[in-house]
Amino acid sequence: MVNRDINFSLWLDFVERDYLKNEFSVLIEKGIINGATSNPSIFASAITTSLAYKEQLATLEGKSPKEKYEALAIEDIRTAAQALRESYDEGNDGYISIEVDPFLSNDTQGTIEEGKRLFAAIDEPNVMVKVPATNAGYAAMTELLATGISVNATLIFSPEQAKRCLKAMKEGIDTFSNNGGCRVEAVISVFVSRFDRLLDADLEKEGLDVAKTGIYNAAKIYNIIEKNHTPSVRTLFASTGVKGDDLPADYYIRELLAPHSVNTAPLATIESYIAKKETEPKLPIDDDIINGYFTKLSDNGFHMNEVYDSLLKDGLEAFEKAFQEMLDTLK
């Protein structure tokens, strides 16, 4: 559930047309969620497996695959934004995110142009444009925020990425504010479970704790963001679904429950979370404890900079692959 007492938000990491027109509003009305996110993989799954897009696709004959995708995505994001609009108007988040073409991750100007074009086409104020945290992405974040477009920085794995996001976001928000703008917000999406899926088997061989690296890394970045004292920028914990049965389905929500934060999760994860009694916040964790954990990893041959680089590379490639496969089905 959303907990406004501590400014904790729960967003749904899922988009599919029939769901958006039906059950989605129930989650909002019950106060379970107050936002949603999408990404290329989510749209690829929805468009390629759901019959809900068949009718609109029939009207798009002759369009390029990307034009077809954008027409479908714009319709879905607009539907979600309208369902969330009351929350937004009340200052209770109410955002839905749409990601720019993942093949633009190294193209600053292309990202800016596509972000502005998608935002204008959807024509709802409570849309966040998702921008990967790459060298090209940081400047795009600044420009989008400066023009009043809220931003979801995605694929954050390292503290350094978070720091660069903060710098870019503060510059954009300050420009918007100095030009008389009223409301623009940003989230820094820290990916969590992928660390554990990558490292746990090797950690277990060394007799080290498992299912902790993603938590401690996210907690470290959360502390950095909170110490920056920018109220309109929050940590968003992403990649919080659990694979397999080794952990409770809602593990990455409960272990990262934190004031002034967002957790975006798949529907099954949210259902598991709300079925149990709400727990007290688990964050912040003291920096000395976090640093001690990573020192232990380093002493045992686990080098986080290499892990960060590997996960970012894999994340970018996975989104590109999903996006391309979806485009191929729309030819």
Side-chain angles (χ1 to χ4, degrees):
M1 301 285 284
V2 173
N3 186 338
R4 297 189 72 177
D5 291 339
I6 64 168
N7 194 13
F8 166 76
S9 294
L10 190 57
W11 293 1
L12 176 64
D13 194 30
F14 177 66
V15 166
E16 189 279 325
R17 184 158 297 181
D18 280 342
Y19 190 86
L20 291 175
K21 291 180 176 179
N22 297 289
E23 297 97 323
F24 183 64
S25 292
V26 176
L27 291 181
I28 300 166
E29 290 162 7
K30 289 184 175 180
I32 294 169
I33 64 167
N34 59 348
T37 52
S38 68
N39 62 44
S41 297
I42 287 172
F43 265 119
S45 176
I47 292 170
T48 57
T49 61
S50 171
L51 296 175
Y53 301 93
K54 188 175 180 181
E55 184 177 340
Q56 187 183 1
L57 277 170
T59 72
L60 298 171
E61 288 295 327
K63 301 286 188 182
S64 72
K66 186 171 177 181
E67 287 172 328
K68 292 178 184 178
Y69 155 71
E70 286 192 358
L72 300 176
I74 287 167
E75 181 72 20
D76 279 1
I77 297 298
R78 185 184 293 121
T79 298
Q82 290 170 350
L84 287 160
R85 183 61 186 270
E86 185 175 342
S87 296
Y88 175 80
D89 289 342
E90 292 172 351
N92 181 24
D93 289 4
Y95 286 104
I96 172 70
S97 297
I98 184 170
E99 190 157 343
V100 294
D101 183 335
F103 289 102
L104 295 173
S105 64
N106 293 312
D107 182 347
T108 299
Q109 194 56 39
T111 297
I112 292 168
E113 290 172 0
E114 179 154 303
K116 289 181 176 180
R117 180 171 55 77
L118 290 172
F119 185 80
I122 297 163
D123 196 26
E124 297 290 344
N126 51 327
V127 171
M128 279 187 162
V129 172
K130 287 180 82 170
V131 178
T134 61
N135 289 332
Y138 302 119
M141 294 175 200
T142 299
E143 174 61 21
L144 292 171
L145 287 162
T147 58
I149 298 174
S150 292
V151 166
N152 179 338
T154 190
L155 288 173
I156 285 82
F157 297 99
S158 73
E160 183 59 31
Q161 282 178 290
K163 290 174 185 176
R164 293 188 68 180
C165 286
L166 281 167
K167 182 175 183 294
M169 288 171 169
K170 187 175 188 311
E171 184 180 340
I173 291 167
D174 287 349
T175 298
F176 180 69
S177 178
N178 292 337
N179 289 335
C182 294
R183 182 179 179 183
V184 70
E185 298 182 65
V187 292
I188 296 175
S189 290
V190 183
F191 281 49
V192 184
S193 64
R194 296 185 189 196
F195 284 92
D196 300 331
R197 291 203 293 273
L198 176 67
L199 297 175
D200 275 2
D202 291 331
L203 290 171
E204 194 167 22
K205 289 176 186 174
E206 298 296 327
L208 300 172
D209 291 340
V210 298
K212 295 293 184 186
T213 309
I215 300 292
Y216 278 120
N217 188 69
K220 181 172 187 170
I221 293 174
Y222 172 78
N223 289 352
I224 290 168
I225 294 169
E226 287 303 287
K227 288 173 184 174
N228 189 63
H229 300 298
T230 304
S232 52
V233 178
R234 286 174 293 165
T235 308
L236 183 152
F237 300 112
S239 181
T240 54
V242 168
K243 306 291 186 187
D245 301 320
D246 293 339
L247 297 170
D250 59 353
Y251 176 76
Y252 292 108
I253 297 181
R254 292 188 177 276
E255 293 301 314
L256 291 168
L257 190 62
H260 195 239
S261 75
V262 183
N263 198 305
T264 189
L267 182 59
T269 305
I270 291 175
E271 289 173 340
S272 174
Y273 175 67
I274 64 174
K276 302 171 195 168
K277 185 179 178 182
E278 191 162 305
T279 55
E280 293 297 311
K282 296 292 185 75
L283 304 188
I285 298 172
D286 189 88
D287 282 326
D288 288 341
I289 294 173
I290 296 171
N291 292 336
Y293 177 84
F294 286 111
T295 297
K296 190 174 183 179
L297 286 193
S298 179
D299 290 345
N300 282 273
F302 295 89
H303 303 295
M304 289 308 295
N305 285 335
E306 294 176 5
V307 174
Y308 295 143
D309 289 345
S310 174
L311 286 173
L312 177 59
K313 179 175 179 289
D314 290 349
L316 288 166
E317 289 177 353
F319 279 170
E320 288 178 358
K321 182 173 184 286
F323 194 73
Q324 186 59 57
E325 288 175 352
M326 176 191 60
L327 294 181
D328 289 344
T329 68
L330 294 173
K331 285 181 178 176

